Amino acid sequence: MSSPYIAIAATDQSESAGRAAQNAGAALAGAGWAEALQRPGLSVWRRPGRPMPVQWCAPQAAIVVGRRVETRPAASFGAPPVAEELAWRAQRLCATGWGAYVALLPDPASGAWSAFRDPSGAVDALAWTRGELHVLAEQFVVCDHWFA
């Protein structure tokens, strides 16, 4: 059994970390994975034959991996407190919809990505760092050959 999704983010904005992310993406593509979505500093890949919805959710400013149904307009929440923006956005995801998903939230100040697993826990999110890359997947994936 293997993960239906893998998200890859460079640990920083250096040229070598960018190259590492490109190399990992090329290795995934060569193994038949399809890039589902890309944003600055992050790419999300889907395994062939295991469809996992991946979409940009503009009102929530998040990538949603899995299924999420919006039940209430996000605009009804107003503006976040600046010091707690990521936590506020995760709370807003819960308060405005339900589903089985992992949300990837960009920090507008640093460009770093955070993961939020919905409270149902239906989609796993295991995270690890390998070299200059952060990896997030539903199951641990042996991927040393991607980082050569």
Side-chain angles (χ1 to χ4, degrees):
M1 191 92 154
S2 62
S3 187
Y5 76 90
I6 294 176
I8 296 175
T11 55
D12 58 44
Q13 295 183 13
S14 69
E15 187 177 320
S16 63
R19 256 193 322 276
Q22 286 178 339
N23 291 343
L28 283 167
W33 288 72
E35 187 174 38
L37 201 128
Q38 184 176 33
R39 288 286 186 259
L42 179 82
S43 60
V44 181
W45 296 77
R46 284 191 285 215
R47 185 155 189 79
R50 300 219 32 217
M52 173 70 82
V54 177
Q55 63 185 347
W56 174 250
C57 182
Q60 308 294 353
I63 294 173
V64 175
V65 180
R67 289 177 171 66
R68 182 177 179 279
V69 177
E70 192 90 9
T71 58
R72 181 175 164 199
S76 65
F77 264 68
V82 175
E84 300 171 5
E85 182 177 347
L86 286 173
W88 179 86
R89 286 169 47 210
Q91 290 170 348
R92 187 172 68 170
L93 277 164
C94 291
T96 61
W98 59 271
Y101 61 90
V102 171
L104 303 168
L105 306 162
D107 180 339
S110 69
W113 289 84
S114 295
F116 170 72
R117 184 175 168 209
D118 84 276
S120 77
V123 178
D124 283 333
L126 304 175
W128 65 98
T129 300
R130 178 76 166 106
E132 294 181 286
L133 299 178
H134 296 302
V135 182
L136 181 78
E138 187 173 40
Q139 296 176 349
F140 184 74
V141 178
V142 177
C143 51
D144 285 344
H145 61 285
W146 300 346
F147 304 101

